[in-house]
Amino acid sequence: MEHPAGMLSQAKPYIAVILQQFITAGMVVISKFALNQGLNQHVLVVYRYTIATVVVAPFAFVFERKVRPKMTWSIFGKVVLLGLLEPALDQNLYYTGMKYTTATFASAMTNMVPGLVFLMAWIVRLEKVDVRQLSSQAKILGTVVAVGGAMIMTLVRGPILNLPWTNHNLHDHSSTTANQQDLLKGSLMITIGCILWSVFNVLQAITVKVYPAQLSLTALICFTGAIQASVIAFSMEGHKPAAWSLHLDSTLLAPLYSGIMSSGVSYTIQATVMKTKGPVFASTFSPLSMIIVAIISSFALSEILYFGRVIGAAVIITGLYLVLWGKIKDQALYKLDSEKMAPSDQKLTAITDKPKTSDKELEVDLARIKTVDDSV
């Protein structure tokens, strides 16, 4: 029987990533509640990333001061662009789209991102695609399926799903509110935000290679993003001082929770899990946050679930897992190729490191190297 300490050690990544999904779900529900209470979405973005900068920057300064690379104009340009793509543009579009739709809808749509990241990485040739391989076919099909699911969620409503805990007396009010919302506009904003988020992920992968201090990079992205988001907010709401006011309610809780928990604690969990289990592991749990949001928002926000949107969300999740399955297969093939190459590399090292005593021995060793190369 396995020792309890060993079982706990194996369970830690699973516990951590489930906790992360609860944190993400909490951010979505709290933000939607604050938006419903009148908090301006553009102001929320500014406060969120200002708080995130204050939270992350001290840790980056302490833990990475010896390993932080030198800042160059090229890296700085990438950081500014990253701050524009994710905090400034994507989050403004996401929160605005959420304001037009529902928390569950916005949460479900974000499951398109892994497929879109694959597509963007393929375009810039960071992702190798061989249409003859089953893994590549799965990733392509998964991306198409996820986009199709988003279209189903947008265009198909279907009958209402009456959940046991839903307050049926609020259906008429919620339906009236839903009629006032422009679902198409909201879904378009969230979709554009997901595309920008995908471009951000690809550019971040490129930037991390030249600036591997992840905490420092996160702090810089939050800082530059907060500045650029401030420009957007002042241009949209600068003439409304009341839009910037916060009170001791959800309008204060939303930026605090988003900045500290989502951009601070959640990032730390994600970075830790990715080091031990890889990036695909964390992505496989992302639908969990959508389920949590759907349950909580159905009674906390009186949101109504429609059958058509549940089907659309299920199709998006199917596309997500097709993409993730393709990535897992790619990783397995890469690991297998690396293991095949390792013995040959050891043979080459042993041959080339051997001291040479004569030209004749050198010719023999060169012939042996060619033999090894031919066998690879």
Side-chain angles (χ1 to χ4, degrees):
M1 183 175 178
E2 190 173 355
H3 195 274
M7 294 175 63
L8 179 61
S9 179
Q10 291 182 2
K12 278 182 180 179
Y14 295 90
I15 297 171
V17 79
I18 291 172
L19 175 62
Q20 184 194 15
Q21 295 306 312
F22 273 93
I23 292 172
T24 301
M27 184 273 295
V28 175
V29 174
I30 292 171
S31 298
K32 177 61 176 175
F33 187 79
L35 293 172
N36 290 348
Q37 295 299 309
L39 178 63
N40 183 274
Q41 65 269 29
H42 308 301
V43 174
L44 172 58
V45 175
V46 176
Y47 286 149
R48 170 181 174 172
Y49 284 96
T50 301
I51 293 170
T53 303
V54 173
V55 171
V56 177
F59 291 98
F61 178 77
V62 172
F63 293 111
E64 294 183 342
R65 57 183 175 180
K66 294 182 179 180
V67 298
R68 191 181 302 112
K70 182 181 178 181
M71 180 61 67
T72 65
W73 284 109
S74 175
I75 295 173
F76 181 73
K78 290 184 177 69
V79 169
V80 172
L81 184 56
L82 286 168
L84 176 66
L85 287 170
E86 165 60 10
L89 295 180
D90 168 39
Q91 290 300 304
N92 271 292
L93 288 166
Y94 178 75
Y95 284 130
T96 305
M98 184 192 292
K99 202 168 188 177
Y100 280 116
T101 58
T102 64
T104 305
F105 185 93
S107 181
M109 292 283 281
T110 57
N111 285 291
M112 291 193 301
V113 171
L116 294 174
V117 169
F118 157 71
L119 185 61
M120 298 296 172
W122 183 13
I123 291 172
V124 299
R125 297 186 178 181
L126 283 177
E127 184 91 18
K128 292 183 179 180
V129 176
D130 185 352
V131 293
R132 296 169 299 180
Q133 290 185 351
L134 189 59
S135 58
S136 294
Q137 293 170 6
K139 289 186 287 186
I140 295 170
L141 178 61
T143 303
V144 174
V145 169
V147 173
M151 294 178 67
I152 293 173
M153 284 197 69
T154 304
L155 302 175
V156 180
R157 188 168 72 172
I160 294 174
L161 294 179
N162 292 314
L163 301 176
W165 55 81
T166 303
N167 190 340
H168 299 280
N169 295 327
L170 293 174
H171 274 189
D172 293 338
H173 171 73
S174 299
S175 298
T176 303
T177 303
N179 291 333
Q180 295 173 350
Q181 295 173 342
D182 190 341
L183 180 63
L184 184 60
K185 185 187 294 184
S187 61
L188 181 62
M189 287 183 173
I190 295 173
T191 301
I192 295 173
C194 288
I195 293 171
L196 293 173
W197 190 2
S198 304
V199 176
F200 167 85
N201 284 330
V202 173
L203 180 59
Q204 187 181 36
I206 296 172
T207 307
V208 166
K209 292 180 180 179
V210 294
Y211 198 85
Q214 293 184 356
L215 279 173
S216 299
L217 182 61
T218 300
L220 289 168
I221 292 171
C222 291
F223 176 68
T224 57
I227 293 174
Q228 294 174 91
S230 298
V231 174
I232 295 173
F234 275 112
S235 65
M236 302 290 291
E237 309 294 337
H239 61 289
K240 301 176 184 177
W244 295 84
S245 62
L246 298 175
H247 307 283
L248 294 176
D249 54 17
S250 61
T251 60
L252 176 62
L253 178 62
L256 281 175
Y257 184 94
S258 300
I260 297 172
M261 298 301 292
S262 296
S263 300
V265 176
S266 182
Y267 167 80
T268 305
I269 293 173
Q270 183 176 347
T272 303
V273 171
M274 284 178 65
K275 283 182 180 179
T276 57
K277 304 292 287 186
V280 175
F281 177 81
S283 299
T284 57
F285 287 82
S286 60
L288 177 61
S289 65
M290 181 199 69
I291 296 171
I292 298 168
V293 168
I295 294 172
I296 296 176
S297 62
S298 64
F299 62 82
L301 301 175
S302 301
E303 290 185 356
I304 301 173
L305 284 178
Y306 293 95
F307 183 73
R309 293 175 189 170
V310 171
I311 294 298
V315 172
I316 291 175
I317 292 172
T318 302
L320 166 70
Y321 281 117
L322 280 170
V323 173
L324 294 177
W325 182 85
K327 286 185 173 292
I328 291 171
K329 285 294 181 182
D330 280 347
Q331 289 180 357
L333 288 172
Y334 177 78
K335 184 178 180 180
L336 184 62
D337 290 341
S338 299
E339 289 174 352
K340 287 181 178 179
M341 290 294 294
S344 299
D345 292 340
Q346 293 173 2
K347 290 179 183 179
L348 288 172
T349 303
I351 293 170
T352 53
D353 288 348
K354 180 184 175 182
K356 307 297 182 294
T357 57
S358 67
D359 292 339
K360 186 175 181 180
E361 287 186 4
L362 179 60
E363 292 175 3
V364 172
D365 285 343
L366 287 173
R368 290 172 62 192
I369 292 174
K370 187 177 185 304
T371 303
V372 172
D373 288 336
D374 291 340
S375 66
V376 173

